[in-house]
Amino acid sequence: MRKPIIVGNWKMNKTPSEALEFMKGIEEVLTGTENADYGVGAPYVDLDVCVKNAKNLIIAAENCNELDSGAYTGEVSVPMLKEVGITYCIIGHSERRTYYAETDAHCAAKAKRLFAADITPILCIGETEAQYDAGETANVIKSQLQGSLAGLDAGEVARMVIAYEPIWAIGTGKSASVEIAENCCKLVRDTVKDLYDEQTAQNVRIQYGGSVKPTN
């Protein structure tokens, strides 16, 4: 039985002091962790304070570099995240793909490096509004999965999280209907089955994301 996972990322928000205030508040009211995993993706400068004050909350990095060191100004490596105590890391978020040219190949390399450090990747995939309107959603999802999972074995894929996040629903106020979300999450699972096997597809955890609010 898969354990549900709910993780939202702060993007470029919250100073360390604001993160600390959040952590103190959320840990006091966080319940039900025996039934689901809950977490936040935080900016690099917030990770240390979040990890040190987390009791039941997963703390994820919002990105990483696939290389361990080098002249890559502004980048953060997996060993750096590991030493801070990070256990999850988001890769391939649509904003990273759109603004910073992150590709499926980058995602595959990052995922492989994260697994080597025993950090769970949260792989984001999703189509643009133009692709959705053109009926290309299925092809986009399949292509992104094939490229982003390249080089990963079944055991690794079974342990990761895949987040279907349509770009047209991220920060736009729009959100997918229950039917769209369920159909696309099923497509993700079916694609993993085609790429690997039934057991891997049944084990991988899949999220939906994009303008999710208490009201919807």
Side-chain angles (χ1 to χ4, degrees), residues 5-216:
I5 183 169
I6 302 170
V7 177
N9 66 306
W10 292 345
K11 307 190 180 187
M12 196 175 68
N13 293 292
K14 294 193 185 299
T15 63
S17 61
E18 290 170 337
L20 177 60
E21 182 181 5
F22 174 90
M23 292 301 297
K24 289 180 176 178
I26 194 68
E27 288 291 0
E28 292 177 357
V29 299
L30 186 59
T31 60
T33 54
E34 68 277 5
N35 298 316
D37 289 329
Y38 300 90
V40 295
Y44 293 134
V45 296
D46 295 338
L47 294 178
D48 187 58
V49 69
C50 286
V51 169
K52 287 178 178 176
N53 288 276
K55 298 175 183 176
N56 298 302
L57 198 67
I58 290 170
I59 306 301
E62 293 184 336
N63 187 38
C64 69
N65 193 288
E66 63 271 28
L67 301 175
D68 283 357
S69 62
Y72 304 101
T73 301
E75 290 294 288
V76 171
S77 71
V78 173
M80 293 174 184
L81 298 179
K82 184 71 174 179
E83 188 164 323
V84 173
I86 295 303
T87 54
Y88 282 75
C89 182
I90 299 168
I91 56 175
H93 191 280
S94 66
E95 290 157 0
R96 298 296 313 177
R97 292 175 184 265
T98 301
Y99 304 143
Y100 304 104
E102 188 160 317
T103 66
D104 294 335
H106 287 132
C107 291
K110 291 179 182 187
K112 198 69 178 177
R113 184 63 190 89
L114 287 165
F115 275 124
D118 198 28
I119 297 176
T120 301
I122 301 176
L123 169 67
C124 300
I125 59 170
E127 79 281 18
T128 64
E129 187 168 18
Q131 290 168 330
Y132 173 78
D133 290 340
E136 297 174 356
T137 295
N139 289 336
V140 171
I141 289 175
K142 290 178 181 178
S143 175
Q144 287 182 340
L145 283 174
Q146 187 170 18
S148 299
L149 300 179
L152 300 181
D153 61 39
E156 291 169 329
V157 174
R159 287 160 34 218
M160 73 190 307
V161 178
I162 298 175
Y164 167 64
E165 298 188 334
I167 296 173
W168 50 268
I170 297 176
T172 63
K174 300 178 181 179
S175 61
S177 65
V178 172
E179 182 180 12
I180 292 172
E182 288 187 345
N183 286 343
C184 288
C185 288
K186 181 180 184 299
L187 176 60
V188 171
R189 201 172 301 284
D190 288 344
T191 302
V192 172
K193 178 182 176 181
D194 291 341
L195 292 173
Y196 294 91
D197 52 52
E198 175 70 30
Q199 192 62 50
T200 302
Q202 289 304 313
N203 287 339
V204 67
R205 295 198 284 182
I206 301 171
Q207 290 184 303
Y208 166 78
S211 296
V212 176
K213 300 177 178 67
T215 53
N216 63 15

